[in-house]
Amino acid sequence: MDEVEQMTDGVWGAILAFIDEFQVPIRIAVILILAFVIHWVLRRLLKRFIDGVVTGVKKNQNVEATTEIRASPLVKARAVQRTRTLGGIGRSLITWVIVIITAVMVLGQLNFNLTAILASAGVAAAGLAFGAQNVIKDILNGVFMVFEDQLGVGDLVTIGEITGTVEDVGIRVTQLRALDGTLWFVRNGEVLTLGNASQGWGRALVDITIDADNDLELAERVATEAAHEVAHDPEYIRKITGEPEIWGLESVYGDRATLRMVMMTRPEAQWGVQRALRARIKSKFSEAGITLAAELPNYPGGAQ
């Protein structure tokens, strides 16, 4: 029994001696592990909160896509988009705050003079501010874009010559996925003009060019019938929010006449509705014996 106790005391003594000798590296390791765990937990909680908000709104509205929300679409859809966007910024803030706090704690364990470091950091920050004006501009512009609801994650936007879906809004950079799959990184400070196709409503616009000797009144009536059929199609009934309108004769060129039709849609739905309208109008015109123009001066096709 005495031998067992002596062995146990020896083991504990060795452990305590090891801890005493390497207490600084052990504390640093504990700090890093705790920082990693806290970072993972906070990001998971944030993700669950965001998913809960988005799923709750969609379930309440019985839709699969945010842009299909029916009741108060602008308010509810933008609430979802802003939640996602703020979630992206929240993830960045969580990462940076934990990294800074962890670095300070690790430096403290290494017996650095934190007061002197923080004072030096303040002086350095003041000096770097003159050389980092673009970074500060990017950060401030990104914050204003989010809080002014100029864009959100999932929005279809045009920034300069780039059109794409917003995948992430960071503190300094916004990521856009273009239609061809290219991922563009746009500095927030460089965003001077921004067009957002995901806010409010969309408008499907179709120019119908026919031979000028056709009956224009008949063409308008048949085109309107085709638009009503599309509006009652189960595939598009949620995407269309207004009645079709014929704005009249848009242009006449030689033996060609162009009628313009418009229809209000939900955000981002206008292009799909336009394609459906063209196909249905072409079919109805064939049945009614209305001849589409063979060619336009600037672009080919009949119903544009």
Side-chain angles (χ1 to χ4, degrees):
M1 197 67 181
D2 292 338
E3 294 180 359
V4 174
E5 291 179 357
Q6 290 177 0
M7 184 178 297
T8 303
D9 292 340
V11 171
W12 278 109
I15 292 174
L16 293 175
F18 176 83
I19 293 175
D20 185 63
E21 183 178 357
F22 297 99
Q23 57 180 317
V24 173
I26 291 174
R27 288 175 183 170
I28 293 176
V30 171
I31 291 172
L32 294 176
I33 293 171
L34 287 176
F36 175 80
V37 171
I38 293 172
H39 178 265
W40 182 82
V41 170
L42 289 178
R43 288 182 64 118
R44 288 286 296 177
L45 290 175
L46 183 62
K47 184 178 185 301
R48 289 187 64 180
F49 172 75
I50 295 169
D51 291 344
V53 172
V54 174
T55 303
V57 173
K58 290 182 179 180
K59 184 177 180 181
N60 183 52
Q61 295 295 312
N62 190 28
V63 299
E64 295 180 358
T66 300
T67 52
E68 292 183 359
I69 293 174
R70 292 171 291 175
S72 302
L74 177 60
V75 175
K76 294 182 180 295
R78 295 311 299 173
V80 170
Q81 303 289 26
R82 293 193 73 182
T83 300
R84 287 173 172 164
T85 304
L86 292 174
I89 293 179
R91 286 191 293 272
S92 298
L93 288 176
I94 288 172
T95 299
W96 280 106
V97 169
I98 290 179
V99 166
I100 293 172
I101 293 175
T102 302
V104 171
M105 294 178 68
V106 169
L107 291 174
Q109 292 299 318
L110 296 174
N111 294 323
F112 281 89
N113 189 337
L114 295 180
T115 303
I117 291 175
L118 293 176
S120 300
V123 174
L128 289 174
F130 294 99
Q133 294 182 18
N134 287 335
V135 175
I136 296 173
K137 180 182 177 182
D138 293 340
I139 294 173
L140 291 177
N141 203 35
V143 171
F144 282 120
M145 284 195 304
V146 172
F147 283 98
E148 291 176 359
D149 198 23
Q150 297 179 22
L151 80 172
V153 174
D155 284 355
L156 181 63
V157 301
T158 298
I159 299 177
E161 298 180 355
I162 303 170
T163 298
T165 302
V166 179
E167 289 200 348
D168 184 67
V169 181
I171 295 178
R172 197 179 69 86
V173 173
T174 294
Q175 298 180 23
L176 296 182
R177 180 71 66 178
L179 300 179
D180 63 357
T182 303
L183 182 62
W184 291 87
F185 295 84
V186 182
R187 285 176 44 202
N188 295 332
E190 297 300 316
V191 178
L192 301 179
T193 58
L194 187 154
N196 195 324
S198 300
Q199 291 191 12
W201 47 271
R203 174 179 283 147
L205 186 151
V206 178
D207 285 343
I208 311 161
T209 302
I210 59 178
D211 288 337
D213 57 358
N214 283 287
D215 186 337
L216 296 183
E217 291 186 1
L218 175 62
E220 290 184 8
R221 186 166 62 252
V222 173
T224 303
E225 291 174 0
H228 280 295
E229 290 182 7
V230 172
H232 291 86
D233 189 318
E235 183 178 354
Y236 298 100
I237 193 169
R238 287 183 175 178
K239 299 179 180 181
I240 295 174
T241 59
E243 294 294 320
E245 299 178 39
I246 298 289
W247 281 1
L249 194 60
E250 183 67 17
S251 66
V252 178
Y253 185 87
D255 59 351
R256 289 179 286 268
T258 300
L259 301 171
R260 173 161 291 183
M261 168 179 282
V262 297
M263 182 180 288
M264 298 285 287
T265 70
R266 298 199 182 282
E268 300 183 38
Q270 58 266 43
W271 298 287
V273 173
Q274 286 174 181
R275 289 189 288 270
L277 284 173
R278 293 188 189 105
R280 194 66 59 94
I281 289 171
K282 184 177 185 303
S283 175
K284 296 287 288 185
F285 274 16
S286 296
E287 295 175 3
I290 300 173
T291 307
L292 294 172
E295 186 178 349
L296 282 174
N298 296 324
Y299 49 91
Q304 296 294 325

